Amino acid sequence: MSQAKGLVVLAYSGGLDTSCILVWLKEQGYDVIAYLANIGQEEDFEKARMKALSLGAKKVYIEDLRREFVEEFIWPAVQAGALYEDRYLLGTSLARPCIAQKQMEIALREEAQFVSHGATGKGNDQIRFELTYYALSPQIQIIAPWRMPEFYTRFRGRSDLMEYAKDHGIPVPVTPSNPWSMDENLMHISYEGGILENPKNHPPSAIYKKTRDPATAPDCPDTLEIEFKKGVPVKVTNKKDGAVYHTSLELFIYLNEIAGKHGVGRIDIVENRFIGMKSRGIYETPAGTLLHRAHLDLEAFTADREVRNIKRGLATRFAELVYNGFWFSPEGEFIRHCIDHSQDLVEGKVQLSVLKGNVYILGRESRQSLYNEELVSMDVQGSYEPTDATGFININSLRLKEYHRLPSKVRLAQN
Amino acid sequence: MSQAKGLVVLAYSGGLDTSCILVWLKEQGYDVIAYLANIGQEEDFEKARMKALSLGAKKVYIEDLRREFVEEFIWPAVQAGALYEDRYLLGTSLARPCIAQKQMEIALREEAQFVSHGATGKGNDQIRFELTYYALSPQIQIIAPWRMPEFYTRFRGRSDLMEYAKDHGIPVPVTPSNPWSMDENLMHISYEGGILENPKNHPPSAIYKKTRDPATAPDCPDTLEIEFKKGVPVKVTNKKDGAVYHTSLELFIYLNEIAGKHGVGRIDIVENRFIGMKSRGIYETPAGTLLHRAHLDLEAFTADREVRNIKRGLATRFAELVYNGFWFSPEGEFIRHCIDHSQDLVEGKVQLSVLKGNVYILGRESRQSLYNEELVSMDVQGSYEPTDATGFININSLRLKEYHRLPSKVRLAQN
Amino acid sequence: MSQAKGLVVLAYSGGLDTSCILVWLKEQGYDVIAYLANIGQEEDFEKARMKALSLGAKKVYIEDLRREFVEEFIWPAVQAGALYEDRYLLGTSLARPCIAQKQMEIALREEAQFVSHGATGKGNDQIRFELTYYALSPQIQIIAPWRMPEFYTRFRGRSDLMEYAKDHGIPVPVTPSNPWSMDENLMHISYEGGILENPKNHPPSAIYKKTRDPATAPDCPDTLEIEFKKGVPVKVTNKKDGAVYHTSLELFIYLNEIAGKHGVGRIDIVENRFIGMKSRGIYETPAGTLLHRAHLDLEAFTADREVRNIKRGLATRFAELVYNGFWFSPEGEFIRHCIDHSQDLVEGKVQLSVLKGNVYILGRESRQSLYNEELVSMDVQGSYEPTDATGFININSLRLKEYHRLPSKVRLAQN
Amino acid sequence: MSQAKGLVVLAYSGGLDTSCILVWLKEQGYDVIAYLANIGQEEDFEKARMKALSLGAKKVYIEDLRREFVEEFIWPAVQAGALYEDRYLLGTSLARPCIAQKQMEIALREEAQFVSHGATGKGNDQIRFELTYYALSPQIQIIAPWRMPEFYTRFRGRSDLMEYAKDHGIPVPVTPSNPWSMDENLMHISYEGGILENPKNHPPSAIYKKTRDPATAPDCPDTLEIEFKKGVPVKVTNKKDGAVYHTSLELFIYLNEIAGKHGVGRIDIVENRFIGMKSRGIYETPAGTLLHRAHLDLEAFTADREVRNIKRGLATRFAELVYNGFWFSPEGEFIRHCIDHSQDLVEGKVQLSVLKGNVYILGRESRQSLYNEELVSMDVQGSYEPTDATGFININSLRLKEYHRLPSKVRLAQN
């Protein structure tokens, strides 16, 4: 029988927090549907399903969103060459709208009045989830326990959750928790909080899960050829062993494997959250880092200078809006459309080697490139008239000469 | 006795090209003063002086511009975090106005009517030299032999130069020339042309002079602490051996040594020249790469998000104008002033390790940072009210909800 | 004797709303200091003082901020050429931080724990006031009655306020209220709400207070000469009657008079509030409009093209941040500094005529201008070589020719 | 019989300059086809045809490009809301690629090896013509007499041309030439040169041809309703007399008539030419000015704030590239595509009155607008929670409070 307060679709992770939230929501009088997205994290999904059901979930949805995540969220970010604040490849930011979109689909299908999530009240994820909810279904109601005083004053720390878990038959983790929190998906793992909050503390070398330590990574590189069409990878070939991957998900997983093996994609940064505070994060983004470099190389090779300049301005905005949770927004749609259009000619092959934490571009080729070997050659005059450059320089100097003429301008001659 | 056509100050490198130009200029009826700037390239300056005199230079100036190059050109680029087209740290671009400025000083002092250089007619350097000349002294006249038909039709290749050299008593290099050209200064070495012109060709592993091969670089990292004030490094400490460097030039040279030892700073890119053609270049920028990373980390740590956003837009323009030769220009002055102002609070220390071609940020600290450990802490509620985030999200969703209302908007519910 | 809840400094306007708030605050147990800023609005300040005291204000501050408003807030906006969303000259946005800054000074002097204002919960002004409070004194506590359910559910409309006023001895306006609301200061008057909320409704012609109807404005223009230094007006001369004004406040008032007489500065726009909703406003900004035009003309005349380009990007951000309430912010300080620096050479005189709602630029002169009559002259060849333009065009066409070469490019010839 | 040097398609205006050029080209040994574009200028085209033939043109093309000019060049500029340097509506800039495109079509059809034009060597038009030629047909050869020493040293001024004309049977104008030059098309007339070169000189009141003097324009306004779809006008209704116009060319001509009658669209500016010199121009753009205002109003009314922000950045680039002659370029194509996409929802009606040099927006309506009267209403609480604004402000103040915390920050309290 349905409970009085209505039906909630909860973004469930299988962990302690959302398990407690599930039980707490029922305690508050809601029916709860648990929804667990598979976006490539390491997880025993069946165990999580059983756990949710045992905690009283009315139904459990486990959705494999990996291909969708790669093709609809990661690929546009690769096309954009998106970097938040010059460094962060947006691994978590891209996953949130993907997860929340499916959650809204379920909520609509199940005619739920509520959705809920376990994101905290200081972070970006709450915003990314909820802006997606509202954008896709403005009438939805959101239950965000970590922002509700009745919840967060009751659960002031992990020990409160542990105790509540014990009291309510929620299985508790047997291993002690790491002194930091972590979030994983196909694109990256982020580590933050706890001992990492002191920005001076060096990250423990054992923290990393997705990449090997570059210091102990193989001494011998892998050499890959990545083929792009319209700014996204369509084929990966390992020149060493001849392995070939064609489909989006497969090739992305393979690139994660290779890049991870060689320790590619670790960063330790302080970034600015949307709410205006600075936070420190450690990220591992193996395939994402590799693809960012390869795409950048091919784009610079094929695209017109001015088109790329304009597109770069758009990409900066894109990264910012994705970080801030505006994937589903008028500007998000608009920018993705423009960036996609800028990629029409970004096709060709990039060869690169992967070694000791690094990606080295070795060469590139494309039938669409604006690179003209003959034009640039030091040995070929061709149709290029060097005297034209004289005119070009003289005209460009006009403005500078005029500026020098100003009475207020200090002249070198007067030094 | 002075010759009929007047006096030329020639930017002289000591190499085959500018030696031939020196002799050719005299042949054309000019008096020639040879000017050789020491901006950190490997060179036997005294030998070059003797050579210039023996070729008929009326006078030779050899100017050590290394400290000036670091403090007045490289430091502003570090403050800016300047990258041309997302990758190039502007090693050559920064050197040109430094060299040309001194050349103009000499021309004015010597009352020369002409300056000359050996840059080719398809490249960026001719523009960087000449815009600097014109900006600092608009009435100067420029002799650019590689753009003069009487010169470039006479010297169609290296063999013509070699022959001319032999005929005119110009010492010719005994070693065969590399199948590429190269330009070196304190900040970087660039390689381009010849076999590198085919963008698909992998660069020969033996090409690099300033950095060791990351594959064979030491297995053991160096750990450095770099202290910044106003966005420029003021102290470098090697945490391993305790070495400390304070002055600009010394610490820059030391960072080149350490970063070079570990193979940091190699890139292989296709870029867009100012004249509109794409060209492929291989660059080594050891200290520059290391400082770029360290500065970026500290800036993100200390600077306000919005100030940094605005500054980043300025830095993109800065990189472009430096690349294009507009260091001395109204907009160059303006942007440097603004960027400098943005660095007032960028002070503190960054710790990093250097290993196998990579720079890993380990931690950072500053008394000026806007990072607030207490505010960001997951365990401290502090003055932060989680309920505020609800209002923040709801207000941010207003626009999205309105957009969803539009008749033209496809709704998820209707799928 | 001081009341239990503490001391509030209330931004008091003398009108019905803030009079009710004053009484209501006392009712809630606060001591209230009424603060009324004179920023050029039409007001009987002494009457307002008496009224506030009679309503129980512990003290009344009436501060003449007009000169400060002009010099510290309007002048930077003139330098910036700031337009929000291409049209709005920020008349209200600029006044808010000016008013709130003085309010904070009083609060600190009086050791008040609270500040309060009468701005509504859907508008921009609440944000502008409060961000200023927090920026200048983060520990201040804010009472915003129109966002407090106990207040806004009690006062659901004007009639509730009227009734409360009658019940509490608050003098009520004898004239019926306009069916719109209005905000006035030295720079502008804004009209919004009520019948104006329907964006299709034409504004009543009788609405305007600061400008005459252009249709019935004088048939004879006034001709002014405005002299600028560093981008701000320092002297205004009426060429018709010889009137001259030198000081900031005086000349601004005079320009309001002249521009108002000729019906200059009316706009009717829909704009986007910071909170994300669109609203319709009617604005009158006589002197502001005139100065915007004059400054733009002189800036274009004197400033270097590229400096002005960069500055324009900054000005767009400036307008946005001022509109959104971030006058006192790191980015506000930074941008004002940069814009101020861009104005070093913006000096000279502009002549213009004012007629029937328009400002016509007639001519301009400056000893700092980069305009070079000789260079531009069609009849003077001067130092300009037309053949240089050939080289300039040819080099600029390189990129276009390369683009045409692409296999994917549709060629005109194949049509 | 064909002449030795080949065939030239000359952009012929019918005036003295291009008539002399036509004869001079034949004198140099070329066959000449005269091409005269009708882009809305006042001209006796048949007389011009006869004249060209009588001067020896092998063939004459007179092409009516007016509709093409409006739909393919003016409309994209209206969508963009393009203003060069904040004021110039690009009347000449838009016409040039339109004219040159047709010229290339003729050159290809006629298998001409050359094209020629009469633009001078200091202006923008030479660049706009020639970049269009090269972009559309890179192999074309250009004859630009005003940049050829053999031409410009022979014709040093108007009197040389007059004399040449007399000597070669070229009809010379009977009326004395204005002391300025002028260029007219459907969109605007520009005046520059001669007495206008002194930027201090007021423009003579008799200079204007396309607009009446606002001072003597009708005292009674016209009230128009303009309907837009996808950002371009599709219907104009005169509310006074009920006149209605539907097709692009018709409605544009009608708007020119109405706006011209009321003196709308005069500006006097100093602008920066692409080659880097400042020049002064007087422009009349009646319909263009009116449409710019109307489109801006509707766009602000309908478009999302952030989409419009991004689009505005693109429009600034668009204006710059059009001014500089890059209509046909990779970036031109890209930006037009993006801007076009931004206009999908810009539909609805704008009502405005035209009076004494001004356009006053009166109201607007659209079924696609993001304006929500209920949401914005001061009297309706609706779904909006005022307390949300508290959270929004508090979160936005976080950054400001942190900044205030800095040791280097001067605090108000310490003043």
Side-chain angles (χ1 to χ4, degrees), chain D residues 127-139:
Chain D
I127 310 175
R128 295 166 187 155
F129 277 124
E130 298 184 18
L131 292 184
T132 302
Y133 300 150
Y134 285 135
L136 297 177
S137 185
Q139 76 289 347

Side-chain angles (χ1 to χ4, degrees), chain B residues 28-43:
Chain B
Q28 305 299 309
Y30 297 97
D31 278 336
V32 181
I33 290 176
Y35 152 65
L36 176 47
N38 174 1
I39 44 163
Q41 72 275 42
E42 247 187 46
E43 186 68 60

Side-chain angles (χ1 to χ4, degrees), chain A residues 75-345:
Chain A
W75 277 184
V78 168
Q79 288 183 314
L83 285 178
Y84 180 68
E85 295 186 340
D86 299 318
R87 291 182 292 181
Y88 172 40
L89 284 159
L90 299 166
T92 301
S93 321
L94 291 165
R96 295 318 183 203
C98 178
I99 295 170
Q101 180 183 32
K102 178 62 72 179
Q103 189 175 1
M104 281 313 306
E105 274 178 44
I106 294 167
L108 288 165
R109 195 184 317 148
E110 297 282 350
E111 296 181 359
Q113 300 82 4
F114 302 92
V115 287
S116 182
H117 62 76
T120 66
K122 284 183 176 175
N124 293 306
D125 285 338
Q126 54 175 344
I127 310 175
R128 295 166 187 154
F129 277 124
E130 298 183 19
L131 291 184
T132 303
Y133 300 151
Y134 285 134
L136 297 177
S137 187
Q139 76 290 348
I140 199 73
Q141 296 178 61
I142 295 169
I143 302 173
W146 284 117
R147 291 201 313 264
M148 298 166 78
E150 61 267 41
F151 188 90
Y152 69 71
T153 55
R154 177 162 176 189
F155 302 102
R156 291 189 174 278
R158 188 171 166 80
S159 58
D160 291 340
L161 288 168
M162 294 285 273
E163 199 175 321
Y164 182 82
K166 277 178 213 148
D167 292 352
H168 292 75
I170 303 170
V172 293
V174 288
T175 52
S177 167
N178 285 323
W180 57 75
S181 77
M182 156 183 152
D183 184 72
E184 182 182 8
N185 62 46
L186 197 59
M187 190 173 181
H188 93 337
I189 306 185
S190 66
Y191 309 90
E192 55 177 14
I195 59 169
L196 302 176
E197 278 167 7
N198 182 338
K200 206 180 151 180
N201 284 352
H202 299 193
S205 60
I207 201 173
Y208 301 99
K209 282 190 51 188
K210 230 178 170 82
T211 58
R212 279 183 60 176
D213 186 347
T216 61
D219 288 323
C220 185
D222 276 280
T223 302
L224 304 177
E225 180 175 270
I226 307 185
E227 185 175 344
F228 286 84
K229 281 226 168 80
K230 223 178 145 31
V232 301
V234 294
K235 187 179 171 190
V236 171
T237 311
N238 190 323
K239 305 302 268 188
K240 212 160 76 178
D241 62 12
V244 177
Y245 297 85
H246 283 283
T247 67
S248 302
L249 182 57
E250 264 190 351
L251 74 80
F252 195 81
I253 289 172
Y254 179 68
L255 291 176
N256 261 338
E257 183 194 310
I258 294 294
K261 178 174 103 183
H262 291 285
V264 165
R266 296 178 170 190
I267 57 169
D268 173 343
I269 67 172
V270 171
E271 76 202 38
N272 292 288
R273 291 190 189 155
F274 187 22
I275 57 168
M277 60 174 68
K278 289 183 183 291
S279 79
R280 191 252 197 112
I282 315 284
Y283 301 103
E284 294 178 282
T285 319
T289 301
L290 191 153
L291 282 173
H292 180 79
R293 300 272 172 82
H295 175 270
L296 173 52
D297 190 72
L298 190 66
E299 186 179 76
F301 182 54
T302 52
D304 172 74
R305 178 182 68 195
E306 297 305 316
V307 171
R308 205 179 160 265
N309 265 352
I310 296 162
K311 182 253 174 174
R312 192 167 40 168
L314 295 172
T316 303
R317 291 290 285 265
F318 173 81
E320 204 173 286
L321 71 86
V322 170
Y323 186 87
N324 289 346
F326 291 90
W327 183 275
F328 292 104
S329 67
E331 68 272 28
E333 288 180 8
F334 177 59
I335 281 203
R336 284 198 300 280
H337 176 91
C338 296
I339 289 177
D340 186 72
H341 189 64
S342 78
Q343 301 295 297
D344 282 353
L345 303 180

